[in-house]
């Protein structure tokens, strides 16, 4: 059975895209995502046809994104939008700008979005987009042009009832405002629900910017509570200090957790007695990096993963916890703020070592939950208070955690397998109930 409707790939000159799993990139995220699905399919006892349906992206679009640089030169970037599954509702997923983005990475992230939306029971499928570009090397006006061209190229397959974008690595509120504007101008009227994670003044939601991090902290609290431990009693290290990691570190510190180390792509820092997170946030706002922060010692980026802390929060990129680095983890809990930070082998090593992993599709679902709230508000043109949003987010995260942890205990499986089983089963049920057309 083949559910793919691929659009023909257009040859895109002058772009070097690393092969999946090559030396140029981390362990192939698609292989990890497929192995996770296979594990859930095995537990659920599904046949090969259903497995293929669940494994195969429903729709993919490869686009060439020409950019006129500020100095007049023209260069081409590869762009992708993958709708992995749309059986439970419109595709939902972020837009990533990074130099290593390729179609397999986007496929993997789209698949994760499908299970994530299902595990927290949102009426969405899973999607993801990406442009192969390093945004640090481009001016704001160049990034605006890339965003607008990419949006207009993928216009036929996006929309509030088709596929809804959100920020991811290398993109943010401003990117979403440009996407929303480009889509709206082409339709002739304002359509805020085509994206989430946009600025408040153009229909964004209160609480969206910090929702993923809040969700990470809610799920950390829930995981610790199962061992009778509170956030105030533990130490933590956070890899990545962007939209997810920085606020997660802040909320943890506010809850009394000793945040002893953080990192970004430029380096890592450590303060054994705990970092002054508000001061660190000011330092990052000023300098653009955690490195050079007074009151902390520089450490090697990889050293952070093996620090003697209670909680490790990878909140940067995929594939960082592999067989080798997972073997060095000393934390008792790993809470996945990032998507796909643990490879399949890394996951096995962590499980064998008795380390509790709160999986990405549960731990970082706070972002898509509040994106859903933003979409609902935009569709209704009625705005909720911050308190309403925070309470509903906490409630949904708690419900999802309870369901996943209950299944894990009942079946003697990991939290990851339990979350996948719940998500995959909901999607499979939608497939089976809807039937196969024609
Ligand atoms: P971001 O671009 O805002 O931040 C990424 C951070 O990671 C930056 O601080 C960057 O310097 C750092 N980084 C990159 N490579 C690194 C490395 N090798 N070692 C250490 N740090 C490194 O992106 P983000 O939105 O915070 O996303 C981070 C992760 O969380 C991604 O996996 C993303 O898919 C996932 N996620 C994001 C959201 C969201 O709402 N933004 C929601 C769910 C999941």
């Amino acid at each position: 059975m083949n559910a793919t409707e691929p659009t023909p790939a257009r040859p895109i000159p002058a772009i070097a895209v690393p092969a999946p799993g090559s030396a140029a990139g981390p362990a192939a995220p698609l292989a990890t995502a497929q192995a996770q699905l296979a594990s859930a399919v095995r537990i659920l006892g599904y046949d090969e046809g259903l497995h293929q349906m669940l494994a195969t992206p429903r729709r993919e679009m490869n686009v060439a994104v020409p950019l006129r640089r500020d100095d007049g030169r023209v260069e081409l970037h590869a762009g992708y939008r993958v709708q992995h599954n749309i059986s439970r509702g419109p595709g939902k997923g972020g837009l990533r700008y990074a130099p290593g983005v390729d179609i397999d990475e986007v496929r993997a992230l789209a698949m994760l979005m499908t299970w994530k939306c299902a595990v927290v029971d949102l009426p969405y499928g899973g999607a993801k987009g990406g442009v192969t570009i390093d945004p640090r090397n481009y001016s704001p006006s160049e990034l605006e042009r890339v965003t607008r061209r990419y949006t207009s190229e993928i216009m036929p397959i996006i929309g509030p009832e088709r596929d809804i974008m959100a920020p991811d690595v290398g993109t943010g509120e401003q990117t979403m405002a440009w996407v929303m504007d480009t889509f709206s101008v082409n339709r002739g009227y304002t359509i805020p629900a085509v994206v989430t994670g946009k600025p408040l003044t153009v229909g964004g939601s209160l609480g969206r910017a910090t929702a993923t991090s809040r969700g990470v902290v809610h799920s950390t609290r829930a995981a610790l509570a199962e061992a009778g431990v509170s956030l105030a009693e533990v130490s933590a290290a956070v890899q990545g200090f962007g939209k997810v990691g920085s606020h997660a570190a802040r909320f943890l510190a506010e809850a009394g957790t000793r945040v002893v180390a953080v990192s970004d792509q430029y380096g890592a820092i450590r303060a054994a007695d705990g970092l002054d997170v508000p001061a660190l946030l000011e330092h990052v706002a000023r300098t653009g990096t955690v490195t050079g922060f007074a009151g902390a010692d520089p450490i090697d980026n990889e050293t952070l993963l093996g620090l003697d802390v209670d909680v490790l929060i990878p909140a940067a990129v995929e594939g960082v916890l592999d067989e080798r680095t997972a073997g060095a983890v000393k934390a008792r809990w790993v809470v996945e703020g990032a998507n796909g930070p643990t490879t399949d082998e890394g996951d096995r090593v962590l499980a064998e070592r008795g380390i509790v992993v709160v999986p990405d599709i549960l731990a970082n679902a706070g972002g898509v939950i509040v994106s859903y709230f933003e979409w609902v508000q935009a569709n209704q043109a009625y705005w909720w208070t911050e308190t309403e949003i925070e309470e509903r987010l906490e409630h949904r995260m708690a419900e999802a955690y309870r369901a996943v942890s209950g299944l894990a205990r009942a079946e003697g499986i990991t939290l990851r397998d339990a979350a996948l089983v719940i998500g995959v089963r909901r999607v499979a049920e939608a497939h089976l109930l809807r039937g196969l057309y024609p």
Side-chain angles (χ1 to χ4, degrees):
M1 199 178 300
N2 188 345
T4 342
E5 288 177 9
T7 45
R10 294 157 58 170
I12 301 168
I15 298 171
V17 177
S22 73
L30 186 58
T32 301
Q34 283 171 340
Q36 290 174 356
L37 171 63
S39 176
V41 163
R42 238 184 340 267
I43 294 169
L44 287 160
Y46 290 162
D47 66 26
E48 192 46 31
L50 188 50
H51 186 176
Q52 284 303 312
M53 281 283 284
L54 295 165
T56 311
R58 178 82 173 77
R59 187 179 288 134
E60 300 183 349
M61 202 162 182
N62 294 334
V63 295
V65 187
L67 164 67
R68 183 177 299 104
R69 301 289 308 255
D70 290 340
D71 63 9
R73 279 179 303 133
V74 172
E75 58 186 37
L76 274 168
H77 296 267
Y80 312 97
R81 187 74 190 170
V82 173
Q83 293 167 355
H84 169 258
N85 195 286
I86 47 175
S87 291
R88 289 169 44 88
K92 182 85 192 81
L95 170 62
R96 177 171 293 195
Y97 286 179
V101 166
D102 64 17
I103 185 69
D104 278 346
E105 180 180 29
V106 178
R107 284 175 176 145
L109 293 165
M111 188 190 288
L112 281 184
M113 285 306 299
T114 301
W115 318 138
K116 189 186 301 181
C117 291
V119 83
V120 291
D121 211 6
L122 303 180
Y124 288 141
K128 202 81 181 189
V131 177
T132 311
I133 186 170
D134 188 344
R136 290 171 303 172
N137 299 336
Y138 293 83
S139 71
S141 60
E142 289 171 333
L143 292 173
E144 176 174 355
R145 288 197 288 279
V146 158
T147 303
R148 289 188 183 280
R149 183 59 185 252
Y150 168 74
T151 305
S152 63
E153 292 290 342
I154 62 162
M155 191 102 89
I157 63 165
I158 60 169
E161 61 299 297
R162 293 174 172 220
D163 183 354
I164 306 131
M165 246 185 255
D168 191 72
V169 174
T171 60
E173 283 192 351
Q174 178 61 74
T175 327
M176 292 304 110
W178 290 328
V179 172
M180 190 269 251
D181 183 71
T182 307
F183 189 83
S184 299
V185 166
N186 277 278
R187 289 291 176 88
Y189 59 103
T190 300
I191 309 173
V194 65
V195 295
T196 59
K198 56 194 170 292
L200 276 177
T201 37
V202 291
S205 175
L206 292 165
R208 172 60 185 90
T210 53
T212 307
S213 316
R214 281 217 189 274
V216 167
V217 175
H218 289 321
S219 48
T220 307
R221 186 187 295 109
L224 295 176
E226 293 199 284
V229 178
S230 79
L231 284 172
E233 294 171 87
V234 296
S235 59
V238 181
Q239 183 195 43
F241 208 72
K243 293 184 288 297
V244 179
S246 66
H247 295 298
R250 176 162 69 88
F251 295 143
L252 285 172
E254 285 170 4
T257 301
R258 197 159 44 90
V259 180
V260 298
V262 299
S263 64
D264 61 20
Q265 67 211 47
Y266 306 105
I269 55 167
R270 178 187 186 199
D273 293 338
L275 292 157
D276 179 347
V277 178
L280 176 60
L281 285 162
E282 279 172 28
H283 170 83
V284 172
R286 227 178 20 255
T287 65
T289 170
V290 300
T291 59
F293 177 60
D297 301 317
I299 54 168
D300 187 68
N301 230 323
E302 196 177 304
T303 306
L304 178 137
L305 299 174
L307 284 181
D308 191 5
V309 288
D310 300 302
V311 179
L312 173 65
I313 301 188
V317 287
E318 53 263 34
V320 292
L321 290 171
D322 56 19
E323 194 165 13
R324 187 177 58 79
T325 50
V329 168
K330 295 200 185 64
R332 197 168 148 204
W333 293 272
V334 172
V335 183
E336 296 184 335
N339 285 313
T342 311
T343 67
D344 198 36
E345 299 76 32
D347 212 31
R348 187 178 40 74
V349 170
L350 293 174
E352 280 168 7
R353 298 184 55 222
I355 294 165
V356 176
V357 178
V358 185
D360 45 11
I361 59 171
L362 177 62
N364 70 34
V368 75
I369 291 173
V370 177
S371 274
Y372 166 60
F373 296 164
E374 180 177 334
W375 178 77
V376 168
Q377 293 170 82
N379 281 328
Q380 297 181 336
Y382 181 81
W383 307 102
W384 306 352
T385 65
E386 191 156 13
T387 310
E388 283 173 308
I389 288 157
E390 299 296 0
E391 283 175 3
R392 288 176 201 215
L393 168 65
E394 190 167 0
H395 176 71
R396 280 199 176 246
M397 287 298 300
E399 287 287 294
Y401 190 92
R402 228 186 330 271
V404 169
S405 146
L407 182 67
R409 260 199 312 276
E411 299 293 326
I413 56 180
T414 62
L415 290 174
R416 186 181 319 276
D417 274 337
L420 284 161
V421 162
I422 291 174
V424 169
R425 184 162 50 201
R426 285 189 175 142
V427 176
E429 279 171 4
H431 270 302
L432 296 172
L433 285 167
R434 289 180 58 161
L436 198 59
Y437 174 84

